[in-house]
Amino acid sequence: MAEGVKLFGALLSPFVYRVIWALKLKAIPYEFIEEDLPNKSPLLLKYNPVHKKIPVLLHGDKPVCESMIIVEYIDEMWPQNPLLPNDPYERALARFWVKFAEDKGTSVWRLFRVKEEELEMTRKETLEMLQNVEEHGLGEKKFFGGDSVGMADIAFGSVVYWLEVVEEVLGGGVIFEAHKFPRLHAWMKNFKQAPIIKENLPDRDWLVTFFKRRREAMLAASA
């Protein structure tokens, strides 16, 4: 490989895992550089001076920012194991669901951050997001694009995996219930069992412990 690949990130971030999954599915070797988010490194600030956020992919001397933009870059740069379908219409559908995950998946991150009095409204937004995907996103397919993990699966995989973590952190009722979302549950089972994904999932118990502590600290600070 002519140019090295580095990924700046933190292993608690769903957005970083999107990039990890794409790199692993493409079998691209890379160096992972762990960021201490309260004390961001000079290199991270250099390579993402606008948003100052992870993830950042550095390919040679070229930085690429924003998780799904990075995934698209990876797919275009390394054509093996494509993450988008060949058919133009199917590609458009995949991009639609990626954008939907980007726009509506934010309700999951808000669930974690909001105060108790705002939880119910955010739960409703999350339920509506899941219902739309259940009814219109998957049909009878194993994955969004058919029989293999693709770009839309990467986008939604991070949303749903972290939703399950956030539900456990919050307690007080499950949002992502199997009887309400049978297609999504079947899809998530397939996603987590795909060999590359299974080998590169963060430890759920570790995430739950981390985010419980983080939420307790946030609520105490706002009290």
Side-chain angles (χ1 to χ4, degrees):
M1 189 171 168
E3 295 181 296
V5 175
K6 297 179 181 180
L7 174 59
F8 294 81
L11 294 178
L12 53 85
S13 167
F15 307 105
V16 170
Y17 270 91
R18 288 172 170 179
V19 181
I20 290 173
W21 294 333
L23 288 166
K24 293 289 187 177
L25 286 164
K26 296 278 189 173
I28 305 301
Y30 67 96
E31 177 186 353
F32 184 76
I33 299 171
E34 181 85 25
E35 282 288 331
D36 177 14
L37 296 184
N39 302 287
K40 295 172 183 175
S41 71
L43 282 177
L44 177 67
L45 301 178
K46 173 185 175 181
Y47 292 129
N48 191 357
V50 177
H51 294 302
K52 303 175 176 62
K53 295 191 302 185
I54 57 169
V56 174
L57 185 85
L58 187 66
H59 183 204
D61 60 355
K62 300 186 290 286
V64 187
C65 306
E66 298 294 317
S67 63
M68 291 313 299
I69 292 174
I70 296 171
V71 171
E72 285 210 39
Y73 175 82
I74 291 168
D75 198 38
E76 292 173 3
M77 192 71 208
W78 293 280
Q80 71 270 24
N81 305 325
L83 300 175
L84 285 172
N86 287 325
D87 179 76
Y89 179 68
E90 294 297 326
R91 289 167 78 90
L93 284 179
R95 287 192 169 107
F96 173 88
W97 288 112
V98 167
K99 187 174 190 310
F100 187 85
E102 292 280 78
D103 292 345
K104 301 298 183 180
T106 55
S107 66
V108 173
W109 326 131
R110 288 202 307 278
L111 269 177
F112 172 72
R113 293 189 181 97
V114 298
K115 297 178 182 178
E116 293 294 331
E117 59 268 24
E118 300 168 32
L119 266 178
E120 190 56 37
M121 181 180 295
T122 313
R123 284 181 193 272
K124 287 179 181 177
E125 291 174 8
T126 305
L127 279 167
E128 183 179 343
M129 179 266 294
L130 294 172
Q131 195 62 49
N132 271 309
V133 183
E134 175 75 17
E135 292 179 8
H136 308 294
L138 286 161
E140 303 305 319
K141 294 178 291 187
K142 184 176 181 180
F143 298 108
F144 277 86
D147 294 326
S148 59
V149 173
M151 199 172 289
D153 303 287
I154 288 172
F156 266 107
S158 62
V159 172
V160 177
Y161 191 81
W162 266 259
L163 170 60
E164 292 174 328
V165 169
V166 170
E167 284 182 326
E168 192 168 338
V169 169
L170 295 176
V174 175
I175 297 171
F176 186 45
E177 295 180 279
H179 72 278
K180 288 184 179 178
F181 307 106
R183 288 174 177 164
L184 265 175
H185 264 265
W187 162 79
M188 192 57 183
K189 182 179 178 181
N190 290 330
F191 180 76
K192 289 191 286 191
Q193 289 179 347
I196 294 293
I197 303 300
K198 187 176 181 179
E199 292 166 12
N200 294 281
L201 283 172
D203 182 77
R204 177 168 166 162
D205 291 340
W206 176 76
L207 285 178
V208 169
T209 300
F210 176 87
F211 283 110
K212 271 185 178 177
R213 289 174 181 165
R214 176 69 67 84
R215 180 161 173 81
E216 287 166 4
M218 286 169 51
L219 291 176
S222 65

